[in-house]
Amino acid sequence: MKRIERVFLSTADKYGMFEHGDSVLVALSGGPDSVCLLHLLIRFRKRLGIEQLLAAHVNYGTRGRESDEDEEFVRNLANYLDAPLFVKRVRKRDLGRQNFQDAARRIRYDFFREVALREGAGKIATAHTKTDQAETVLMRVLSGAGVTGLKGIPPVSEGGIVRPLIEVTRREVQEFLESEGISYRVDRTNLEGLYERNRIRNEVIPLLKEVTGRDVEATLADLGDLFRQVQTAVSEMAEGARRKGVVREDSVDVGKYRALPELVRKFLLQEILREATGKEPSRRLLDRVDELLVRDFPSFQYSLTPDLVLVRSYGEAFVKRADEVSADYEEEIPGPGRYPLPEAGGELVIQESEKDSMKRILSRIVRDRYVAAFEWTSDFFPLRVRNFRPGDRVVPFGRKSEKKLKSIFIERKIPLQVRKVIPVVFSGDRLIWVPGVVRSSHLPLTAGTEKIIVLEYRRV
């Protein structure tokens, strides 16, 4: 028995991927990994207890004739191996305007689940390899993912998705196919630097191997396994915290939350925010919300999305719809520094600069509408930062007459929920800046400016 066959069987057994009588749907692209997977499943179907093997293929049509040739190859292969095949042809409008890879993944898995449900297949087998695992872990390390992200691709996922090749490298797959004389298709776009994964695969990992002289794929895959174990342990601790009342039906006990280890807090918080918003929270959002809950703020409102607000009232925190809470807030800013604005979902950073920095500052302002600069005067501070109120007016930069801020919001198509929390900055009684929307004509930089005040609003 070849090594790849031993690893394949060991992985399937270790993770309990198959049960006697299973009907298995194989995701079949026609590439080397999926072709190898189908051949191994057929070879060992009796040993694995698989009663029926089906295959599914998605033709995105993005490579024209080559896409159609992939489909023809897959049809011939499935017919030769006596595996019923189901094909989906994707229309361009089905992909929408989102990232192609994200859209393709959504369409692909939706189709697999649809076929599996209709045909009674309890398992969906995909051909992810140890090499895919290494690429995924490295991409997530570079993106700043947390523990959950760094665990990489799980061998088994919800919905009966199994990955029997997850401990086999791509090189082992290709060596097996060559030794068996099995043909497969090659997607030439995988060799191009169109996507981040391609560059990680074709440039970064080979370079890391060359520089370190180590088996980088194995190291990264092992790192993913380690974080999967950490995630399991932290998940159990978070579940224990739920049982102890840290999270109630509609609120968080802030005191009990603060007493948890940081890793457990953030894991629990990740679950809470995912349930509330319907999407995975960013690392930055997790850090910011955790900081607000742990620090000694008796009360605050923090904008999670345009429609959702995290509200803390002394010992409890709630996620509420923005239209259910009062968005009024006001802060006094005494001078340069970093000032959290939890109600607005960001922070205001204020710095002093000298006139020799003017050219650089002006260049920055042109590139980033969330940065503004003013000539320093002795009465510039304190600033007041609050939410929009009816009647607010500003003299926009380059104009001499006032204009209602509400009119500017309407012209810029600023959503109503965003208007309720977006920070409005005053110097004295004068409205001087609304980040990302309008800068007033107050205190412009001129050739005679000696000292500059730079304001930056950072959305967290």
Side-chain angles (χ1 to χ4, degrees), residues 73-90:
F73 172 84
V74 165
R75 287 187 184 278
N76 292 335
L77 177 64
N79 184 58
Y80 174 73
L81 296 175
D82 196 26
L85 176 69
F86 302 86
V87 175
K88 179 180 180 64
R89 286 185 155 233
V90 179

Side-chain angles (χ1 to χ4, degrees), residues 58-226:
V58 179
N59 181 347
Y60 299 104
T62 53
R63 294 180 293 119
R65 182 177 177 182
E66 289 185 26
S67 294
D68 293 337
E69 289 173 350
D70 288 350
E71 181 184 327
E72 182 180 2
F73 172 84
V74 165
R75 287 187 184 278
N76 292 335
L77 177 64
N79 184 58
Y80 174 73
L81 296 175
D82 196 26
L85 176 69
F86 302 86
V87 175
K88 179 180 180 64
R89 286 185 155 233
V90 179
R91 295 165 297 184
K92 189 173 182 179
R93 68 172 179 266
D94 294 334
L95 294 169
R97 295 184 177 181
Q98 68 183 104
N99 174 279
F100 169 75
Q101 290 191 316
D102 291 341
R105 186 180 300 108
R106 172 182 54 79
I107 290 170
R108 183 165 64 246
Y109 277 95
D110 284 350
F111 176 59
F112 295 158
R113 293 186 186 99
E114 174 192 324
V115 173
L117 183 62
R118 188 176 67 240
E119 300 299 322
K123 303 289 171 57
I124 299 171
T126 68
H128 292 95
T129 64
K130 191 173 190 175
T131 307
D132 293 311
Q133 179 73 290
E135 293 164 1
T136 299
V137 170
L138 182 55
M139 288 170 65
R140 292 181 180 175
V141 167
L142 296 175
S143 70
V147 171
T148 300
L150 291 176
K151 70 181 181 179
I153 307 170
V156 178
S157 298
E158 290 183 9
I161 297 173
V162 296
R163 301 177 175 90
L165 296 181
I166 199 66
E167 296 180 334
V168 173
T169 67
R170 189 170 292 126
R171 169 177 276 187
E172 289 175 311
V173 165
Q174 291 173 331
E175 289 174 349
F176 169 77
L177 294 174
E178 289 171 11
S179 69
E180 298 279 329
I182 298 172
S183 60
Y184 54 85
R185 294 286 294 171
V186 175
D187 182 348
R188 59 182 172 80
T189 62
N190 287 334
L191 306 176
E192 300 171 353
L194 297 174
Y195 303 108
E196 179 186 10
R197 181 177 288 275
N198 289 3
R199 300 199 67 183
I200 292 286
R201 173 185 301 156
N202 300 323
E203 300 174 34
V204 178
I205 288 182
L207 179 61
L208 289 174
K209 288 180 180 178
E210 179 185 335
V211 170
T212 64
R214 297 189 179 93
D215 185 348
V216 174
E217 289 181 3
T219 300
L220 289 169
D222 290 345
L223 181 64
D225 288 338
L226 175 62

